[in-house]
Amino acid sequence: AEPFYNIYGGTQDNNTQGGPSRTDNVHGIRTADWQVVLGGDGHQPATEPGNPDILYAQWQRGNLTRVDLKTGESVYIKPQPAAGDPPERYNWDSPILVSPHNPTTLFFGSQRVWRSDDRGDSWTAISPDLTRDEDRMLLPLMDQTWSWDAPWDMYAMSDYNTVTSLAESPLVEGLLYAGTDDGLIQISQDGGNQWRAIEVGSLPGVPKTAFVNDIRADLHDADTVYVALDNHKYGDFKPYLLVSRNRGKSWKSITEGIPDRHLVWRVVQDHEKAGLLFAGTEFGVFVTLNGGESWTKFSAGMPTISIRDIQIQRQENDVVAASFGRGFFVLDDYSALRELADDTLEQEAVLFPTRDADWYFERGVLGATRRGSQGDHLYVADNPPFGAVLTYHLAKGFPTAEKQRQEEEKIAIKQNKEISFPGWEPVEVERRETPPALMLVIKDSSGAVIRRLDAPTKKGFHRVAWDLRHPYPGAIETPPNWQGLPPSGFMAIPGDYSAELVLTKEGASRLLSKPVSFTVKRLYQPSLEGAPLEEVDAFWQELAQVSGQISAASYALEDAAEDIDTLRKMLGASPSAPGAMEVTLHSLRQEIHALEEALSGNQSKGSIGAYDEHRVTSWLWHAYGGVSDSTYGPTPAHRLSLDNAKAGFEPIRARLNGIVSEELPALRESLIELGAPWGRGQRIPAS
């Protein structure tokens, strides 16, 4: 779906639901952004590639429905047995598969495999019963079989001897795999005409009672298939994850690195790098870079929780995981993992390629703050960081001398070694050290620097987001706004950009990794055609320059007033008779007040909100507010306001510069001659 993909999943007793992976507003992803798409117990859904308005959802025991998300209409499409056929048995969570070769072709599992070529309007069974076809009334429960008087209840419970997982090779149409809940793997190489059964008990280390949780055909090799099984219903919590490189003729366990008692629920493969796979287990997500030879737990902010399903959104390179009881988790843009090789993490620093960035203005649909006017009871999930998200890895990091010494001492203590006072010179070196600084330098297509972003210096993986804005043009003293957010500059326009990772240490700077390039793309086209973006950008830059000057003037006026107060104190402590100097300082202080009024209005009127004539800042804020959240471009009124602000500001700027650069230094010199004590800004006279 555009502009952001959707996530769908089932919730026990709370329907099948879906919602956006991100939103274009400042709040994040609200409960209200999600919708119930089908009632009942929620289960595995599926979508039609290329058509985000078609969804397949079901409630327990195979009650499959096709939902038109545009209209909200639903069509019940559960396959029906022919007259005289035995009853269909459907698992509690029946597997549905959209063919990778045709988006309107579906496969669905009962005790046999069904196929539809018309989105479920009609079905054909393409297999016989692929299970053991047992009578569960005769199966032992709690180590014995039972008579009729036992408390039997099969209504709404999961059937047994059912197909639990389906896969079709994306490389060979008709190469089908099916797994069952009673210990069978079935393979057809001719679209379902003939099937070959494999007992899971024949797989290395797998008990014959194992349940097939997931079966996945390899995306890169037509002969390779993966299977995840579990045997927890028999008290066995071992991870069972295997691969076959010859269409199921032989199998190899690939669980190295996954601890015992970690049931494996799902496995998914990267669509670009064959050896990169993710596994959803009972206690989180694991990742392998070498096709399953070794696995590593991949936390990245995820709690230790059962992950029952895991998928990859290929357009965005996101991993999406569904937990049992804690909602959905998204790892945005995992593509850096494709770049990892044996020596990658040993390099001093690596800046990984990044995906393109969407360019838009975030909306405040609830108000300006994260929860708007709704209060803290409003639930919102985080959006991914706005802008271009850059990922890098530091092998050792760049600690300060003090931090490095402390880390070495910690290691020595653990090894029962003595530590001692390092000496005065090293301690003084630590005190004087300027900490190493790491920054991401953003450049445009011409090579001009757009922004410098501070970046963490600790070892390991880091992510830093450029918010697609220029630096704030105003005075460095400008405080955060009323929301606690730092001031920001105007947006950089869409186009091609690059990022470099630069270290500054002991005054010297050096490039740590080769630059990466990315494109900033416009997400929406406006309803009204405004000025070309180049013209909008030129006005933004002009506005930034003027607003920066005016911001500087407002703080310079405050500083000048404080300087005059300091000079008056110095004069009062000098061995001189009152006279002309007092008059000069008084006159200069009054002129500062007049300049403040010319710049931003009468402060007495402003303190109570009384009407006042337009001043420089009034013109400025009309122009600024008119274009800062829009790409429509400056209207004639905005252009006129900026011209008025510039014209009104020029005499203020000239006079203020004269006071700061000429008159105040001259007054300081005069006070030195009068024998006044030292004050802020004063040079130290010779004896």
Side-chain angles (χ1 to χ4, degrees):
E2 296 291 347
F4 311 122
Y5 67 88
N6 295 307
I7 299 169
Y8 297 97
T11 56
Q12 180 71 35
D13 287 327
N14 282 289
N15 318 298
T16 297
Q17 305 189 26
S21 59
R22 70 182 297 170
T23 65
D24 63 0
N25 62 60
V26 299
H27 317 294
I29 307 167
R30 301 166 295 160
T31 304
D33 294 318
W34 281 66
Q35 60 177 320
V36 170
V37 294
L38 188 68
D41 286 312
H43 294 286
Q44 181 190 78
T47 56
E48 179 178 310
N51 189 350
D53 291 324
I54 297 299
L55 175 76
Y56 301 98
Q58 59 183 300
W59 68 90
Q60 61 268 32
R61 296 177 79 174
N63 287 286
L64 186 62
T65 302
R66 185 179 69 232
V67 181
D68 185 332
L69 295 169
K70 184 179 294 185
T71 65
E73 299 173 359
S74 61
V75 179
Y76 186 63
I77 57 170
K78 180 179 181 179
Q80 300 296 304
D85 282 356
E88 296 298 315
R89 300 186 302 273
Y90 287 94
N91 193 262
W92 182 260
D93 190 357
S94 304
I96 180 169
L97 173 69
V98 180
S99 172
H101 301 281
N102 185 351
T104 63
T105 296
L106 310 180
F107 297 96
F108 197 50
S110 57
Q111 74 269 28
R112 47 186 175 167
V113 177
W114 294 83
R115 174 177 176 143
S116 170
D117 292 310
D118 51 15
R119 298 187 176 93
D121 285 352
S122 58
W123 292 93
T124 301
I126 60 170
S127 81
D129 189 333
L130 298 180
T131 74
R132 300 183 189 280
D133 190 22
E134 299 163 303
D135 185 345
R136 66 176 174 175
M137 296 287 289
L138 303 178
L139 295 177
L141 295 172
M142 297 181 285
D143 297 326
Q144 71 174 76
T145 56
W146 299 83
S147 180
W148 174 248
D149 299 314
W152 297 101
D153 180 10
M154 298 181 184
Y155 178 74
M157 298 297 105
S158 182
D159 286 332
Y160 187 56
N161 302 126
T162 63
V163 173
T164 56
S165 186
L166 291 170
E168 182 183 21
S169 169
L171 303 175
V172 178
E173 187 172 3
L175 175 54
L176 301 172
Y177 298 92
T180 73
D181 60 1
D182 55 6
L184 294 174
I185 295 172
Q186 300 273 3
I187 302 173
S188 174
Q189 300 188 75
D190 56 6
N193 291 320
Q194 293 182 313
W195 293 83
R196 171 168 55 93
I198 300 171
E199 295 270 355
V200 300
S202 68
L203 276 57
V206 178
K208 65 179 182 179
T209 52
F211 183 115
V212 179
N213 280 338
D214 196 18
I215 193 162
R216 298 281 177 125
D218 193 279
L219 304 180
H220 308 272
D221 178 19
D223 295 331
T224 298
V225 61
Y226 304 89
V227 64
L229 311 98
D230 87 77
N231 197 42
H232 79 271
K233 294 182 180 180
Y234 292 84
D236 174 10
F237 298 95
K238 292 180 182 178
Y240 296 106
L241 181 59
L242 298 98
V243 62
S244 171
R245 307 289 183 188
N246 51 17
R247 303 191 184 187
K249 295 176 183 176
S250 62
W251 296 83
K252 176 186 176 182
S253 175
I254 51 170
T255 58
E256 180 67 32
I258 302 177
D260 281 346
R261 302 181 63 82
H262 275 57
L263 302 178
V264 179
W265 293 102
R266 293 288 188 270
V267 62
V268 66
Q269 183 183 35
D270 179 45
H271 48 288
E272 292 190 15
K273 185 175 181 178
L276 175 56
L277 296 94
F278 301 89
T281 79
E282 185 67 13
F283 299 104
V285 174
F286 284 74
V287 63
T288 178
L289 304 176
N290 51 22
E293 294 296 324
S294 60
W295 294 84
T296 302
K297 190 169 185 182
F298 199 59
S299 299
M302 179 180 289
T304 298
I305 190 71
S306 177
I307 300 300
R308 294 297 180 90
D309 202 358
I310 189 167
Q311 296 285 354
I312 288 174
Q313 211 285 339
R314 298 182 184 181
Q315 181 176 330
E316 299 296 331
N317 295 313
D318 289 356
V319 176
V320 185
S323 75
F324 188 77
R326 290 287 294 275
F328 297 94
F329 292 85
V330 181
L331 174 66
D332 299 292
D333 191 12
Y334 68 86
S335 59
L337 295 178
R338 298 184 187 131
E339 307 299 319
L340 295 184
D342 292 340
D343 61 342
T344 304
L345 300 186
E346 297 176 3
Q347 299 177 35
E348 181 183 38
V350 181
L351 179 61
F352 295 99
T354 187
R355 65 189 180 193
D356 294 338
D358 290 323
W359 190 85
Y360 58 93
F361 289 89
E362 292 184 288
R363 308 169 193 256
V365 296
L366 299 177
T369 59
R370 179 168 169 78
R371 286 180 169 79
S373 303
Q374 305 297 304
D376 284 340
H377 285 293
L378 175 69
Y379 174 76
V380 286
D382 290 336
N383 271 329
F386 176 83
V389 180
L390 300 157
T391 304
Y392 64 95
H393 179 268
L394 304 177
K396 296 181 179 179
F398 302 99
T400 62
E402 179 185 25
K403 185 66 176 177
Q404 186 170 346
R405 173 183 56 80
Q406 291 172 345
E407 290 299 321
E408 291 171 354
E409 290 175 349
K410 286 180 182 178
I411 295 173
I413 291 172
K414 288 181 179 179
Q415 296 174 347
N416 295 319
K417 295 181 180 179
E418 291 187 359
I419 60 172
S420 60
F421 175 59
W424 289 113
E425 184 175 344
V427 169
E428 184 64 10
V429 168
E430 291 178 5
R431 189 187 71 84
R432 297 183 184 187
E433 181 185 23
T434 299
L438 200 60
M439 67 189 73
L440 285 158
V441 179
I442 309 298
K443 296 181 179 181
D444 65 15
S445 57
S446 71
V449 174
I450 298 295
R451 187 81 176 272
R452 292 167 27 148
L453 304 170
D454 292 334
T457 58
K458 293 183 178 180
K459 68 178 181 179
F461 281 96
H462 299 281
R463 276 187 160 168
V464 175
W466 173 42
D467 61 2
L468 309 185
R469 291 184 177 270
H470 291 277
Y472 176 64
I476 197 68
E477 290 90 349
T478 305
N481 67 8
W482 62 276
Q483 298 173 259
L485 301 175
S488 61
F490 286 101
M491 294 274 274
I493 63 172
D496 295 326
Y497 293 86
S498 64
E500 297 176 348
L501 190 62
V502 178
L503 173 69
T504 299
K505 186 176 182 181
E506 298 177 350
S509 298
R510 63 184 176 94
L511 189 66
L512 291 181
S513 185
K514 64 180 181 180
V516 297
S517 300
F518 57 93
T519 301
V520 175
K521 303 180 301 182
R522 188 170 192 163
L523 188 63
Y524 300 120
Q525 291 298 322
S527 301
L528 299 177
E529 184 177 356
L533 278 179
E534 292 74 17
E535 182 179 328
V536 175
D537 184 56
F539 189 79
W540 280 346
Q541 298 311 311
E542 183 181 1
L543 187 56
Q545 182 181 17
V546 175
S547 64
Q549 293 173 333
I550 292 174
S551 170
S554 66
Y555 284 97
L557 284 167
E558 291 181 8
D559 291 345
E562 291 182 10
D563 286 345
I564 292 170
D565 291 341
T566 299
L567 293 174
R568 290 170 64 182
K569 292 177 183 178
M570 293 164 60
L571 179 60
S574 69
S576 64
M581 183 64 75
E582 276 81 4
V583 174
T584 300
L585 290 175
H586 172 75
S587 298
L588 194 57
R589 188 70 172 87
Q590 293 305 309
E591 190 171 3
I592 293 296
H593 287 308
L595 291 174
E596 288 175 337
E597 183 170 356
L599 185 71
S600 55
N602 184 287
Q603 292 193 18
S604 296
K605 290 181 179 180
S607 66
I608 63 170
Y611 289 114
D612 196 3
E613 63 183 273
H614 258 40
R615 308 289 185 174
V616 170
T617 54
S618 305
W619 299 117
L620 174 69
W621 287 112
H622 174 251
Y624 201 100
V627 301
S628 60
D629 293 321
S630 168
T631 59
Y632 181 74
T635 66
H638 299 143
R639 179 75 261 180
L640 179 60
S641 286
L642 183 56
D643 291 342
N644 288 342
K646 292 167 65 176
F649 178 64
E650 182 54 32
I652 299 172
R653 185 193 66 82
R655 181 65 189 115
L656 180 57
N657 280 341
I659 292 172
V660 171
S661 62
E662 298 175 11
E663 296 187 30
L664 287 176
L667 287 170
R668 292 189 182 99
E669 290 299 316
S670 297
L671 285 171
I672 289 176
E673 296 174 2
L674 292 175
W678 184 89
R680 189 184 71 172
Q682 191 79 299
R683 71 178 175 86
I684 302 173
S687 57

